[in-house]
Amino acid sequence: DLHLSIRRQRHMCIRDMVNVAFVGGLTSAAAEAQACGTPVIWGVGGNGRQTSTAEVVQLVVRADGPFETAAALANDARFCRVEYFDLTTWLVPMLIMQAEGADPLAMDDVQNVDGLEALMDMLVAGECDAAGLPASVFAAADSETRAALDVLAESAPIPHSVLVYPLEMPLGAR
């Protein structure tokens, strides 16, 4: 949850306090950038043999669509997401588009959908032009679905959870 993540990051960076917390990957990066926390242990996500410490987010479009770059999506694409605060279907794809010089907040046609399965179905059916997806979800889709879609861009791996604490923390307390 993004709201919880922002609150944790704010509390971590209170000076003259030692704060230890498991946080999401983006919060961990923010804490490190503000010099109030260092990532020390990465948590594992997934099930069974499909576990990992991080997830890559892919910006996916219909293979038969007109969009060839992430920046082009900001103009006329119908973009589908799970919700406004969803990391993999909205927040990271927005960062990818911004990195390519586009303003994703200027998009006129953004639609919320009920989950990742519905999002994939709508992409394949042509009801959406583009979406952000966890790479593991795209990889697990059947070959027909993957053939109907193209990956325009990928994020760096984003950790699921990270134990963060300040380096000033006494060794005996670590």
Side-chain angles (χ1 to χ4, degrees):
D1 178 74
L2 182 65
H3 295 294
L4 180 60
S5 186
I6 290 169
R7 275 185 267 142
R8 282 186 181 151
Q9 191 273 323
R10 282 187 190 144
H11 289 199
M12 283 190 59
C13 293
I14 296 172
R15 298 293 177 215
D16 302 324
M17 283 183 69
V18 174
N19 293 291
V20 177
F22 263 106
V23 296
L26 292 181
T27 302
S28 167
E32 189 171 26
Q34 294 177 43
C36 62
T38 300
V40 290
I41 297 174
W42 282 255
V44 176
N47 295 318
R49 292 181 168 207
Q50 302 300 319
T51 60
S52 66
T53 57
E55 181 72 74
V56 171
V57 175
Q58 295 177 324
L59 193 54
V60 180
V61 295
R62 290 188 359 252
D64 63 353
F67 302 101
E68 296 182 11
T69 66
L73 297 175
N75 297 330
D76 296 316
R78 171 178 275 172
F79 196 93
C80 291
R81 64 185 182 201
V82 171
E83 67 173 1
Y84 183 78
F85 289 109
D86 189 72
L87 183 68
T88 58
T89 65
W90 184 239
L91 298 175
V92 172
M94 281 184 21
L95 293 173
I96 292 170
M97 286 186 267
Q98 286 177 333
E100 289 203 16
D103 180 8
L105 297 177
M107 294 176 80
D108 290 331
D109 198 356
V110 179
Q111 183 175 341
N112 290 350
V113 300
D114 293 326
L116 294 173
E117 189 174 322
L119 192 141
M120 294 277 283
D121 292 344
M122 290 177 73
L123 272 169
V124 171
E127 296 173 43
C128 299
D129 295 314
L133 292 170
S136 60
V137 170
F138 184 77
D142 61 67
S143 60
E144 190 175 303
T145 298
R146 288 192 315 272
L149 305 172
D150 284 334
V151 176
L152 285 185
E154 290 186 337
S155 72
I158 300 169
H160 296 293
S161 62
V162 182
L163 179 66
V164 177
Y165 60 73
L167 287 178
E168 303 84 44
M169 186 174 194
L171 285 175
R174 292 184 199 180

